[in-house]
Each structure stands twice: as structure tokens, then as C-alpha cells.
Amino acid sequence: MNSLILRTASLFLVPLMFLFSLFLLFRGHNEPGGGFVGGLVAVGSFVLYAMAYGLAEARRALRVSPVTLVAWGIFLAFVSGLLAALYGTPYLTGYWLEYPLPGGLKLKVGTPTLFDIGVFLVVVGSILTMIFALEEE
């Protein structure tokens, strides 16, 4: 599709959509969102980019193969469950670490976040693999 309006709008929308997908990813374990929904929004940003600039440019913007994203996502999700098993608790039991931040704030990082990142990568990689394959036909 060769549209100046679509290309111009995508310059603003694609980064905004991708940032929103990261917001959904990190907000989502205890609130609406999470890795699956964040991954879907991230895929939407790449699809919009592919519609505006073509499939080759979208692949170049992704920088890694979508299959590689799937592999890393499965690995991260698997490892997040193994950490609990190392402590002798059931697989996928959540563990949280708190880091103090300036201003009395705390940053909580835990195995559920790692699992959500894995889900995010699997969703982005698997759906982009399908979309790129369909677009090539």
C-alpha cells in the first residue's frame, strides 16, 4: 500500500503502540493487560508498519527472526518456573524482589514478570511468523 497519509500516520502511531504494549506488559500481572495483550498490541504496531512501508522494511525493523522471539519467550517462561523449583516450591510459584528507589518508591521484580515477558515474546514471534508468511504468498 503506497499512501502518504498511512506512512505519515504510522511514524507517530507505531512507536506509540509499541510503548503502549510495553506499558500493558509491565502493568498487567495484577491489572488488566499482561504479556498476551501487550504482545497483541506490539504485533499491531508491526503490522501497521508493514502496511505502510512493506514487509521487507517490517522484517528489518524487527531486527530478529520472529522464530527466535518464540524460542526466547518459551525459554524465559520455562526458566521463570524453574526458579521456584530451585527453592523447593511448586513450579511457577511467584517470587518477588523489592529494590528501593529514590522518593520512597519500590521496584518489584519477580518471576511472574519474567513469565509475562516470555508470553509477550511468544505472542509477538508466533503471530508475526504467521502474518509474515501469509503476506509473502
Side-chain angles (χ1 to χ4, degrees):
M1 182 178 299
N2 191 8
S3 166
L4 179 62
I5 294 172
L6 180 62
R7 286 179 177 231
T8 305
S10 70
L11 288 177
F12 298 103
L13 291 175
V14 168
L16 190 64
M17 289 174 68
F18 196 77
L19 283 175
F20 185 64
S21 75
L22 294 177
F23 168 75
L24 289 172
L25 166 65
F26 289 113
R27 175 183 182 246
H29 188 70
N30 295 325
E31 308 253 349
F36 188 82
V37 175
L40 290 178
V41 174
V43 167
S45 71
F46 277 100
V47 169
L48 178 62
Y49 193 79
M51 289 173 59
Y53 292 97
L55 183 61
E57 283 297 318
R59 282 185 180 273
R60 196 177 356 255
L62 187 59
R63 296 180 186 244
V64 295
S65 167
V67 176
T68 303
L69 292 177
V70 171
W72 274 104
I74 290 172
F75 175 75
L76 286 177
F78 180 72
V79 167
S80 71
L82 277 183
L83 292 176
L86 290 177
Y87 290 107
T89 55
Y91 187 73
L92 290 176
T93 300
Y95 282 95
W96 294 94
L97 297 173
E98 290 186 4
Y99 297 103
L101 295 175
L105 300 174
K106 292 180 183 176
L107 174 65
K108 291 177 67 175
V109 180
T111 55
T113 305
L114 192 62
F115 182 80
D116 281 343
I117 292 171
V119 170
F120 178 90
L121 292 176
V122 168
V123 168
V124 170
S126 61
I127 294 178
L128 282 181
T129 298
M130 289 185 275
I131 289 173
F132 287 169
L134 288 172
E135 185 68 29
E136 287 175 349
E137 290 182 7

